[in-house]
Amino acid sequence: MGMEPWSLILVIAAAFIFIVMFFSFVPVRLWIAVKASGVKLGIFSLIGMRLRKIPPVRIAAPLIKAVKAGLSVTTDMLEQHFLAGGDVDRVVDALIAAQKADIPLDFKRATAIDLAGRDVLTAVKMSVNPKVIETPVIAAIAKDGIEIKAKAKVTVRANIDRLVGGAGEETIIARVGEGIVTTVGSATTHKQVLENPDSISKTVLSKGLDAGTAYEILSIDIADVDVGRNVGAELQIDQAEADKKIAQAKAEERRAMAVAREQEMQASVQEMRAKVVQAEAEIPKAMAEAFKEGNLGIIRD
């Protein structure tokens, strides 16, 4: 007895859904590509990645590149780094680039650099091709009070051994700026700096400014030197203006004191005049009392 048409349709639909779900969960095409590349990675390993919520292509593609390049990495190593939050593809690319450039870099150090937030691939490239860091305009004052404005170009190379825990470009720029300020500040006149700007580079470079950083300074070149303000003269003018204001304040204080003394004297004079007027007003009264008591008489001729 044959199946009902609707039952057959349900069976076909269920089979189709099963096939779609199977191929969406099991990366058959990726497994075929892995096998074609000669990499030992079974279908069940790819399914296990799905179960561990790891996109299989994020492991399989870097693994293919690593095996083709002759790197000694395993699937477990790549999975552990991925689960730790690292960039597996970038680490493998960095290892391949380091191998080609004959730079000693193993998987453990590369993953540590990546997890530390550094771009390990860029660091490897910088070890081969140094990078130029340009500082902002740095103002410094020579002993004669003239301001010098300088800009430097610092050529650095990444130091793989110090990438983890080493300071970044900001520290390099800050240290170079401090070195320029110190060097210019020790110059007797600004003319010495203008005549020999290379002295700044040599002095700053000799200070070992790359200590504790993720870079190695190869050279420091002064790109531009300009004369700025006459700070010494401005300070003298400001000092003279301040002295003038102080003198004016003291003169105003003396004038106020003199005015106060004059007002006190005028008040004293007015008080004395009031007492004299009061005394004069008492004289007729005193004479009247004397007449009354017979103590005062008038002699007539």
Side-chain angles (χ1 to χ4, degrees), residues 56-75:
V57 69
R58 299 288 296 274
I59 302 298
L63 182 62
I64 293 173
K65 288 191 294 184
V67 172
K68 290 295 184 181
L71 301 178
S72 299
V73 296
T74 64
T75 305

Side-chain angles (χ1 to χ4, degrees), residues 278-300:
Q278 184 178 4
E280 290 178 348
E282 292 292 333
I283 291 175
K285 183 177 179 181
M287 291 179 64
E289 289 293 332
F291 274 119
K292 184 177 180 180
E293 295 177 358
N295 295 327
L296 181 63
I298 299 175
I299 300 174
R300 298 177 181 274

Side-chain angles (χ1 to χ4, degrees), residues 71-259:
L71 301 178
S72 299
V73 296
T74 64
T75 305
D76 290 339
M77 294 166 61
L78 298 180
E79 285 190 34
Q80 289 175 6
H81 186 59
F82 179 84
L83 292 174
D87 191 325
V88 176
D89 197 60
R90 184 164 55 192
V91 167
V92 171
D93 288 342
L95 290 171
I96 295 173
Q99 183 187 57
K100 292 181 178 180
D102 198 20
I103 298 174
L105 179 66
D106 56 21
F107 184 81
K108 184 178 180 180
R109 180 174 292 277
T111 54
I113 294 171
D114 184 57
L115 292 176
R118 302 279 190 182
D119 190 334
V120 61
L121 179 59
T122 301
V124 172
K125 292 179 179 180
M126 281 184 60
S127 297
V128 180
N129 299 314
K131 178 182 179 180
V132 177
I133 302 174
E134 186 169 335
T135 67
V137 177
I138 300 167
I141 302 173
K143 290 183 178 180
D144 60 355
I146 304 298
E147 181 184 49
I148 295 294
K149 295 182 179 180
K151 183 185 293 185
K153 290 185 177 180
V154 186
T155 305
V156 297
R157 179 170 57 198
N159 190 322
I160 301 295
D161 295 332
R162 295 203 301 254
L163 276 177
V164 178
E169 295 182 12
E170 295 80 5
T171 301
I172 294 289
I173 294 174
R175 289 181 180 179
V176 170
E178 181 182 357
I180 292 176
V181 171
T182 303
T183 305
V184 174
S186 62
T188 305
T189 65
H190 70 286
K191 294 181 180 180
Q192 294 179 351
V193 179
L194 296 177
E195 292 172 356
N196 190 16
D198 290 341
S199 62
I200 301 178
S201 303
K202 294 178 181 178
T203 304
V204 175
L205 191 60
S206 65
K207 294 180 178 293
L209 303 179
D210 53 8
T213 67
Y215 303 98
E216 176 186 355
I217 297 179
L218 301 179
S219 66
I220 300 176
D221 302 304
I222 303 300
D224 190 18
V225 179
D226 293 321
V227 178
R229 302 171 300 154
N230 190 336
V231 179
E234 291 181 1
L235 290 175
Q236 291 178 353
I237 293 173
D238 292 341
Q239 185 62 47
E241 186 67 22
D243 292 341
K244 177 183 176 182
K245 291 181 178 179
I246 292 173
Q248 289 175 343
K250 289 183 177 179
E252 181 63 24
E253 182 180 358
R254 290 193 297 267
R255 189 192 68 80
M257 292 178 63
V259 171

